[in-house]
Amino acid sequence: MTPTHGSPAPAVGRRALLAGGAAAAGAALLGAGGPAHAASGAPWPTVIRLPDGFRPEGITVGGGPYAYLGSLGDGSVYRVDLRTGRGRIVSEGPGTPSVGLKLDGRGRLFVAGRGEGIRVVDAGSGRVLAAYRPATATPTFVNDVHLTPRAAWFTDSYQPVLYALPLGRGGALPAADEMVRLPLGGDWNQAPGEVVNANGITRTPDGKALLVVQSGAGVLHRVDPRTGVTRRVDLGDAPLLTNGDGLLLRGRTLYVVQNRQNAVDVLELSADGSSGVRRRRITDPAFDVPTTVAAYRGRLYLPNARFTTTPTPTTPYTLVAVPA
């Protein structure tokens, strides 16, 4: 099945697309606890070398000690063993960027493909299972993705809209005309042109709404999945989330990557996600414009996209681990 177009869906079903994701998302991201040591007793690497010229952006970790990263260059997907740092390409790219990506419990990677829309990839074989092109104004920049048991939600950095792929029984992928297009309203103030607006996406701690960071404005929004109405999350006197990128929720703790700041802000949110306070900031000398974040065994893993370095086929790239 290869759907190619999306269309609006009735608002009545949108809340259901979010339901059921509160516990599952955190469990899939965090994995088991305990110190990060291999069976040999050797510590797991804290800096992992990726293929030269790979240009990583998105990262996802499943139930085991393996991370998947997408390439902004040719869209390939790289699988790396977090215990050893060894990895390989598991899906050859289509020649267009892969941005955010998430792995579900059925071994499928949901990949944001920037201007090329969305594709779903079998993580084992690398085969493209489905592809979707949102029916919306151009330009588009499908940037990041959040999974619930009932849907995959995507941001568009160039358009004030979210997309959702409703999942059927047994996780069945939707047909083209079942793709949801949810315009953003309320407090959302879209910067015009090819400016990065909506970027990272996750859920609220109570699982009833979505959280989206507006990168250029440095603002975190709570989004009603039924209506698209957004409300700015009240973070008190905390600094703006400038260049906010990937989001990771762990309980009520939200990690917000700020790429060109080489930092991760750690927020403690209210249950409904309407307010929060900044608790600390994580930095590391090994950061070089990290973009997204995943967690496993008490560590955060961040790919260095190196946006301030001109990419070449021999440019080195790394994945950095820091304590969560």
Side-chain angles (χ1 to χ4, degrees):
M1 178 180 66
T2 309
T4 56
H5 294 87
S7 60
V12 66
R14 288 172 178 159
R15 182 64 173 268
L17 299 181
L18 190 60
L29 284 168
L30 296 175
H37 288 268
S40 64
W44 294 12
T46 56
V47 177
I48 295 173
R49 184 76 177 259
L50 302 176
D52 288 350
F54 184 74
R55 298 179 62 194
E57 208 280 353
I59 183 172
T60 184
V61 175
Y66 301 97
Y68 295 82
L69 299 103
S71 168
L72 283 176
D74 67 359
S76 292
V77 177
Y78 185 77
R79 179 179 185 263
V80 61
D81 188 326
L82 301 176
R83 299 166 297 182
T84 64
R86 293 192 293 268
R88 63 185 178 89
I89 299 291
V90 295
S91 179
E92 296 289 343
T96 54
S98 290
V99 198
L101 72 168
K102 291 293 185 296
L103 178 70
D104 74 358
R106 296 176 173 85
R108 302 178 301 188
L109 289 161
F110 291 75
V111 184
R114 197 162 176 162
E116 297 302 308
I118 296 161
R119 71 185 190 278
V120 184
V121 176
D122 184 286
S125 68
R127 184 169 63 94
V128 177
L129 304 175
Y132 302 83
R133 284 183 177 272
T136 189
T138 56
T140 61
F141 184 161
V142 185
N143 194 328
D144 207 357
V145 55
H146 171 66
L147 297 182
T148 78
R150 298 186 182 181
W153 289 91
F154 294 82
T155 56
D156 188 330
S157 292
Y158 288 168
Q159 300 296 328
V161 65
L162 299 181
Y163 310 113
L165 300 181
L167 303 178
R169 182 172 304 207
L173 297 172
D177 61 359
E178 295 174 316
M179 185 175 176
V180 174
R181 181 181 183 274
L182 183 67
L184 298 176
D187 289 344
W188 193 269
N189 184 18
Q190 181 83 4
E194 296 187 13
V195 176
V196 177
N197 284 274
N199 199 328
I201 182 170
T202 188
R203 58 172 178 83
T204 56
D206 63 8
K208 295 181 180 180
L210 295 163
L211 295 169
V212 175
V213 65
Q214 190 174 7
S215 190
V219 174
L220 184 66
H221 292 267
R222 183 186 187 275
V223 184
D224 186 325
R226 297 168 299 178
T227 64
V229 171
T230 78
R231 292 290 178 259
R232 180 170 175 168
V233 177
D234 181 4
L235 299 178
D237 58 0
L240 290 175
L241 300 170
T242 306
N243 294 318
D245 205 322
L247 302 180
L248 171 66
L249 185 70
R250 184 178 186 180
R252 290 193 183 185
T253 300
L254 180 67
Y255 298 90
V256 183
V257 182
Q258 294 173 263
N259 52 46
R260 292 177 186 261
Q261 277 62 41
N262 289 311
V264 181
D265 273 7
V266 184
L267 310 177
E268 183 178 340
L269 300 178
S270 62
D272 66 358
S274 63
S275 63
V277 294
R278 181 187 179 198
R279 292 303 187 196
R280 61 192 176 101
R281 167 169 278 201
I282 299 171
T283 60
D284 192 276
F287 285 169
D288 192 349
V289 195
T291 44
T292 50
V293 58
Y296 189 75
R297 295 183 72 93
R299 284 180 163 187
L300 303 177
Y301 287 89
L302 299 98
N304 279 325
R306 306 195 69 190
F307 289 154
T308 57
T309 299
T310 301
T312 73
T314 59
T315 301
Y317 292 94
T318 55
L319 174 65
V320 178
V322 296

